[in-house]
């Protein structure tokens, strides 16, 4: 089973999340932060309204780091600003900034960010283009983290490693949003995965409690063959 997910930031302006959900959208990844200081002015409002509409919500950070140390500080800033939120989708790091274009291997930078996210009990995910995943982010060290890949203009991504989400268009038209929006396909039931693992500071889904019936109650119900 697959699910429709949108990438939403302040760029989309006012969003009617009730209409978004009624158009068949299952979840939204909201831009929260960028670099070490920028907090999206739309994040809190979008989070509250998306949750109220019954959508699954995740968050992402636009990474500006050029070193692992900077990446760790950016992760800490990101985590500070998503703390206390009920996030049923992953926490993603968006790696595509100009600062990283001249760096041939982003393994240490990506790993520093994701390690910080995971060490704080969250489900970490890396977002980038298929091109960067094949070059700058191709190290096997990053295979332990989930991927959110971006490749448009194709019926199937040209990528042979596992990935959880595929951003297939930057030009989707969705009810409740003025203008175009990025849309992805999720291949995983992230809310169940995250809750069952106890990640994102969410409580695991509890199985229904079994009602205990005493022998005396069974006898009263007509099960006379029950022996004490």
């Amino acid at each position: 089973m697959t699910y429709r997910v949108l990438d939403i930031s302040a760029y989309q302006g006012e969003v009617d999340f009730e209409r978004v959900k009624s158009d068949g959208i299952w979840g939204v990844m909201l831009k929260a932060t960028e670099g070490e200081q920028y907090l999206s002015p739309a994040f809190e409002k979008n989070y509250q309204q998306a949750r109220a509409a019954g959508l699954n919500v995740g968050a992402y950070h636009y990474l500006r780091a050029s070193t692992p140390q900077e990446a760790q500080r950016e992760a800490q800033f990101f985590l500070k600003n998503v703390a206390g939120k009920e996030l049923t989708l992953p926490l993603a790091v968006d790696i595509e900034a100009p600062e990283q274009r001249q760096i041939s291997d982003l393994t240490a930078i990506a790993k520093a960010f994701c390690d910080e996210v995971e060490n704080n009990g969250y489900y970490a995910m890396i977002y980038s283009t298929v091109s960067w995943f094949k070059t700058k982010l191709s190290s096997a060290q990053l295979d332990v983290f989930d991927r959110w890949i971006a490749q448009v203009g194709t019926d199937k991504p040209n990528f042979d490693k596992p990935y959880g989400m595929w951003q297939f268009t930057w030009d989707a038209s969705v009810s409740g949003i003025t203008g175009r929006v990025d849309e992805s396909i999720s291949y995983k039931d992230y809310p169940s995965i995250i809750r069952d693992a106890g990640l994102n500071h969410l409580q695991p889904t509890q199985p229904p409690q079994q009602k205990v019936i005493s022998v005396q109650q069974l006898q009263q119900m007509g099960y006379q063959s029950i022996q004490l």
Side-chain angles (χ1 to χ4, degrees):
M1 188 171 184
T2 60
Y3 310 89
R4 296 175 66 195
V5 177
L6 300 183
D7 166 357
I8 294 178
S9 67
Y11 176 80
Q12 272 69 47
E14 293 294 324
V15 177
D16 186 334
F17 287 96
E18 295 283 353
R19 289 176 61 195
V20 167
K21 188 173 190 301
S22 70
D23 201 13
I25 300 302
W26 174 77
V28 290
M29 295 292 289
L30 304 178
K31 181 175 181 179
T33 50
E34 178 175 332
E36 294 185 42
Q37 296 183 341
Y38 177 82
L39 170 63
S40 171
F43 176 59
E44 182 66 30
K45 176 186 67 177
N46 285 344
Y47 166 78
Q48 296 293 345
Q49 293 182 2
R51 290 295 303 160
L55 288 160
N56 289 295
V57 179
Y60 71 92
H61 172 88
Y62 188 90
L63 192 71
R64 291 284 187 178
S66 298
T67 68
Q69 293 76 20
E70 289 174 356
Q72 185 179 38
R73 291 198 299 270
E74 289 193 34
Q76 291 166 351
F77 175 65
F78 177 46
L79 293 169
K80 176 183 176 182
N81 284 285
V82 301
K85 300 286 192 292
E86 185 175 355
L87 300 171
T88 54
L89 299 182
L91 271 62
V93 56
D94 181 345
I95 304 180
E96 57 178 326
E99 291 90 333
Q100 295 136 11
R101 288 177 184 164
Q102 74 279 12
I103 303 173
S104 60
D105 187 350
L106 294 170
T107 301
I109 292 171
K111 188 173 186 303
F113 189 99
C114 290
D115 281 346
E116 188 71 17
V117 170
E118 288 198 342
N119 289 341
N120 281 272
Y122 291 92
Y123 189 111
M125 170 181 269
I126 301 172
Y127 167 92
S128 195
T129 63
V130 164
S131 175
W132 278 34
F133 274 119
K134 288 182 173 182
T135 54
K136 301 173 184 291
L137 297 164
S138 62
S139 171
Q141 293 184 56
L142 300 179
D143 289 349
V144 296
F145 304 115
D146 204 350
R147 297 180 184 88
W148 177 13
I149 66 172
Q151 189 173 46
V152 303
T154 181
D155 293 333
K156 181 180 179 181
N158 181 21
F159 191 63
D160 58 5
K161 286 190 173 183
Y163 51 91
M165 292 202 296
W166 168 33
Q167 188 177 85
F168 65 92
T169 183
W170 303 321
D171 197 34
S173 177
V174 176
S175 179
I177 296 177
T178 302
R180 301 294 176 168
V181 64
D182 301 343
E183 184 172 342
S184 300
I185 296 171
S186 172
Y187 298 93
K188 298 181 180 180
D189 179 2
Y190 284 109
S192 295
I193 293 169
I194 289 169
R195 283 190 182 278
D196 290 347
L199 296 173
N200 292 11
H201 303 277
L202 303 179
Q203 292 299 316
T205 304
Q206 297 292 331
Q209 293 185 351
Q210 293 184 344
K211 184 178 180 181
V212 177
I213 301 176
S214 69
V215 172
Q216 289 88 346
Q217 287 174 311
L218 285 170
Q219 289 177 336
Q220 291 171 2
M221 293 165 62
Y223 294 92
Q224 300 300 327
S225 62
I226 298 296
Q227 300 293 321
L228 287 176

